[in-house]
Each structure stands twice: as C-alpha cells, then as structure tokens.
Amino acid sequence: MSTTGKQSSKTDPSLRFQRILVAVDGSEGSRKASEVAVGLAEKFDAQLYVLHAFQGYPEYMTMFPSAPSPSGEAIEAYETYARKAALEVVGRTVSMAEKKGVKAKAKTTDNWFCG
C-alpha cells in the first residue's frame, strides 16, 4: 500500500499490459524505445503494435510555398520510397519481437486503420 492507502502499481498483481504501441522513426532513440517495448510485451505477454507515421509529399511541400510544384511522378516516387522506408523501420522491430516470441504487428499511416 502507498501512503495514500491505494495499492501501488509496482505491487499490484492485477496490473497487466495487453497491448503496447511503440512509434519508430529509425533513430537511435526509437531503437531503444523498441527494445523497452519488446521487453514489456514479452514480460506481460502483450500484443505489440509498431507504428511509423510519415507525412505525404504535398503536405511537406506546403512548408516551402516558393518551391516549384512537384510533378505527379515525383510525388508518387516519394510516397513509394516513404512507404518502403516505413515498412523497413517497423520490420526491424517486428523481427526483434518475433525472435523473443512476442506477437507484433507492423503499422504505417497507410494501414493503421485497417485493423
């Protein structure tokens, strides 16, 4: 019990994670966050969701209004590259999780709402 009379979450045996979401971007910080998330998912036998969100080319270009408008082909090429890179980033964490027996699902902004 804590000093307030409530059970501390550190000692509460009913505290259990069922689903864990970790956002990744390929950085060293997100790699470390992935390791922690995988460890928690392993400890609590939780489902791990690995998310990478990327911003589409047209939205990014609005930050530079004086830049020339990109062609449809350039936009498509960028978005194809961004999707591939996002899947590679989440794939590394999913692979790490699966090696430890953790159920993991890769999500990107393209498929996040697909279940």
Side-chain angles (χ1 to χ4, degrees):
M1 293 277 189
S2 72
T3 56
T4 61
K6 295 181 181 175
Q7 218 173 12
S8 167
S9 62
K10 290 181 182 177
T11 60
D12 184 354
S14 67
L15 176 64
R16 180 168 138 30
F17 293 104
Q18 295 176 347
R19 288 176 291 281
I20 297 172
L21 172 66
V22 62
V24 296
D25 63 4
S27 68
E28 181 64 19
S30 74
R31 185 192 61 75
K32 289 178 182 178
S34 293
E35 290 174 0
V36 170
V38 168
L40 284 171
E42 182 180 27
K43 179 179 180 177
F44 290 100
D45 192 29
Q47 173 74 52
L48 180 65
Y49 293 90
V50 186
L51 172 67
H52 183 287
F54 63 89
Q55 190 172 23
Y57 197 85
E59 293 86 15
Y60 177 77
M61 287 303 292
T62 62
M63 295 171 58
F64 305 101
S66 62
S69 296
S71 69
E73 289 176 0
I75 292 170
E76 187 176 321
Y78 168 80
E79 290 180 351
T80 298
Y81 167 79
R83 282 184 196 94
K84 181 180 177 193
L87 289 172
E88 287 175 9
V89 169
V90 296
R92 286 193 292 265
T93 300
V94 168
S95 178
M96 179 193 331
E98 289 174 346
K99 287 177 184 174
K100 294 192 176 226
V102 172
K103 297 175 193 166
K105 291 187 179 182
K107 301 288 184 177
T108 66
T109 50
D110 275 358
N111 66 5
W112 179 249
F113 296 105
C114 296

